[in-house]
Amino acid sequence: MASLSGFLRRAPPTRLKAFFDAHRVEVPDDFDWTSERRGKAFVQSIESLLSGLPDLQQDRLRAELDHLKTLADNDGMKGAEQVCAGQGIDLDGLQGNEDVLLMLAVDHPQIIDRVSAQTSLIRRTGGRNWAGFQFEDDGRSWALDDEAARDAFLQDAIEILKLPEHRKREADWYQSVRVHPVTGDETTITQATIYVEERAASELAFVSGTTVERQVVPKVLEVGLACDPQNRMIEICAKGGKRVRDQYAEAFTKRFAPGAPPPVEMPRREVLLDTLRRTPRFEIDPADGIEGVEVSSLEFFSTGGGTARFERRGDGETIYEFLGRRFGPHSPLQAHGWTIYAATLRIMRGASDGKRGKTLTVTLRAPNTTTLPNTTEADRHYALDLLERWHLIAPPPEDVDVTEDF
């Protein structure tokens, strides 16, 4: 996470000046915004500028800069790009994270909360407070634009959270655009951040004068929802454990996809397909009950925009041997400009406990999709453990707080 001094140093001078002007900060005419070195002395001059402000104004400005600073990394930039693309805000020509965030703070202040929520979702994807659900494609559209359904879902959230009816609530619905990191394909996502008034906290503070007093501080609880109707997937980011997120998925189905079969919770981890660029060595324990593992297909994406799929099963020759024999150094496994986009594994399990052996087929697709939701829960956990052991999926991310209760 960027430091505030680093954020100030990297911010374009004209954008930083516009930020202070927008907050009605009186800056001396001789203040040097374009200091070439922009080092310690420049940061100290900004600090002096802030320190000279009235207390309340100084606190507000520092708090906003601190918040923008938490978003000034790769996740924050990705969040800003996705939200801005969905809102038609052009970021072309801007000079990095700091430029984007300061521009939004001045020109589109309402967007910053969406960027913050989006960044939180990106950082938490696959983690402890996140769950993804896959729906069967029943051919029916989701009623995501139905205001009555949105209002009912918001009421469901209040009931799931077991909050009194009088608690304030608000849902911010908007669209974002995700760009596939390999193919560049765009997917429009409908998102909602649900804000609910949580039980207030009692804290000590200097309310008036220099006397410490106890005051009631309102709290806001946030729940994030991302819907991908094209791929029939939803993501839910909320505290409360698996049971609570299952309830949100059930409420979503009831309000936006009535009559649809219950969705299946799916793992959402980054797939590490570069592991398969060379013949893999699958580590197998006797307790796994595995008789064999093979890579049965590989799909490639070319920098020129083309795709290629190769499938090879049995006949005593692996897909790697086939590609080497057929294409030699021109194989997409070796030639420049080809990226592995998807792969299918066949895991042959032997008979045990009176049950016949079976083959578990799993397809991995960049950046973070698998066919595990189409299997039984036992097979999902079994395959997930193997894929993590074989370094084909990334481990769950550590939970990172972006907004306090998101």
Side-chain angles (χ1 to χ4, degrees):
M1 188 176 294
S3 66
L4 182 55
S5 61
F7 182 91
L8 294 172
R9 290 176 185 179
R10 289 187 293 270
T14 55
R15 191 72 69 185
L16 195 58
K17 181 179 185 303
F19 177 82
F20 277 83
D21 288 344
H23 288 78
R24 300 180 180 179
V25 177
E26 294 185 7
V27 182
D29 294 336
D30 60 351
F31 189 89
D32 185 8
W33 292 103
T34 60
S35 173
E36 293 184 3
R37 298 184 65 183
R38 295 179 70 79
K40 184 176 180 181
F42 176 77
V43 174
Q44 288 176 340
S45 66
I46 294 290
E47 284 289 343
S48 298
L49 201 63
L50 292 170
S51 298
L53 298 175
D55 291 343
L56 290 179
Q57 186 183 15
Q58 179 183 162
D59 289 345
R60 292 194 193 99
L61 202 56
R62 287 185 183 277
E64 185 166 359
L65 286 170
D66 282 338
H67 181 55
L68 295 179
K69 177 253 301 182
T70 67
L71 303 175
D73 60 10
N74 290 336
D75 290 335
M77 190 62 176
K78 185 185 295 184
E81 290 172 344
Q82 292 178 357
V83 171
C84 290
Q87 308 304 304
I89 300 173
D90 187 8
L91 300 182
D92 286 346
L94 298 186
Q95 305 170 35
N97 301 12
E98 294 75 18
D99 196 9
V100 168
L101 293 169
L102 288 169
M103 181 276 290
L104 293 176
V106 173
D107 298 340
H108 306 278
Q110 75 282 3
I111 296 295
I112 287 294
D113 286 339
R114 292 178 178 178
V115 171
S116 180
Q118 184 71 359
T119 303
S120 179
L121 180 63
I122 291 170
R123 290 175 178 164
R124 292 172 180 269
T125 295
R128 180 167 51 89
N129 291 323
W130 177 96
F133 295 87
Q134 177 78 59
F135 286 78
E136 290 183 18
D137 190 354
D138 57 5
R140 290 182 287 184
S141 299
W142 289 348
L144 296 176
D145 294 327
D146 188 319
E147 290 297 333
R150 290 182 174 186
D151 291 342
F153 184 75
L154 181 57
Q155 181 59 38
D156 291 338
I158 296 293
E159 295 175 4
I160 291 170
L161 294 168
K162 297 181 179 179
L163 294 174
E165 182 62 31
H166 70 271
R167 292 289 169 82
K168 299 175 184 177
R169 79 289 304 265
E170 178 183 335
D172 180 24
W173 289 86
Y174 58 96
Q175 287 189 327
S176 65
V177 175
R178 297 182 183 177
V179 178
H180 195 286
V182 177
T183 66
D185 293 339
E186 295 185 350
T187 302
T188 299
I189 307 294
T190 298
Q191 299 196 209
T193 304
I194 297 174
Y195 301 96
V196 179
E197 183 184 25
E198 198 180 13
R199 183 178 293 107
S202 178
E203 299 178 358
L204 291 174
F206 286 98
V207 179
S208 59
T210 58
T211 302
V212 174
E213 300 178 19
R214 185 166 295 279
Q215 65 173 350
V216 175
V217 180
K219 296 290 184 179
V220 175
L221 182 70
E222 300 181 23
V223 176
L225 174 70
C227 314
D228 180 356
Q230 179 180 334
N231 295 304
R232 316 296 287 185
M233 295 186 294
I234 64 169
E235 302 171 47
I236 297 167
C237 189
K239 291 184 178 180
K242 181 181 185 303
R243 180 184 60 81
V244 168
R245 288 184 287 276
D246 285 346
Q247 288 178 315
Y248 284 118
E250 183 180 347
F252 177 91
T253 305
K254 178 180 178 181
R255 302 304 180 186
F256 300 108
V264 176
E265 184 172 355
M266 61 178 188
R268 191 77 162 175
R269 310 267 194 88
E270 180 187 0
V271 297
L272 309 175
L273 294 177
D274 273 350
T275 302
L276 299 177
R277 189 162 286 278
R278 298 177 180 81
T279 304
R281 298 181 61 183
F282 296 110
E283 179 187 343
I284 299 173
D285 294 329
D288 298 329
I290 295 176
E291 293 184 344
V293 184
E294 70 172 7
V295 180
S296 61
S297 74
L298 290 171
E299 296 180 48
F300 299 88
F301 182 83
S302 168
T303 51
T307 60
R309 184 178 188 276
F310 299 92
E311 184 172 2
R312 185 71 174 174
R313 290 172 54 183
D315 297 335
E317 184 180 49
T318 69
I319 193 170
Y320 296 91
E321 293 167 340
F322 167 76
L323 289 172
R325 174 176 60 81
R326 180 65 180 82
F327 300 102
H330 301 294
S331 161
L333 288 168
Q334 301 180 45
H336 177 72
W338 290 93
T339 300
I340 301 179
Y341 170 65
T344 298
L345 274 64
R346 300 177 72 243
I347 304 170
M348 284 73 80
R349 303 178 67 179
S352 64
D353 298 329
K355 296 180 181 179
R356 294 186 302 173
K358 67 176 183 178
T359 298
L360 181 61
T361 302
V362 180
T363 297
L364 309 173
R365 191 171 299 275
N368 50 23
T369 302
T370 76
T371 55
L372 290 179
N374 300 329
T375 63
T376 65
E377 185 172 0
D379 283 347
R380 283 197 294 276
H381 288 294
Y382 174 81
L384 196 60
D385 289 342
L386 291 174
L387 294 173
E388 189 169 338
R389 183 197 307 171
W390 296 337
H391 305 290
L392 290 172
I393 60 171
E398 296 181 3
D399 284 306
V400 179
D401 284 331
V402 178
T403 53
E404 182 176 349
D405 292 306
F406 192 88

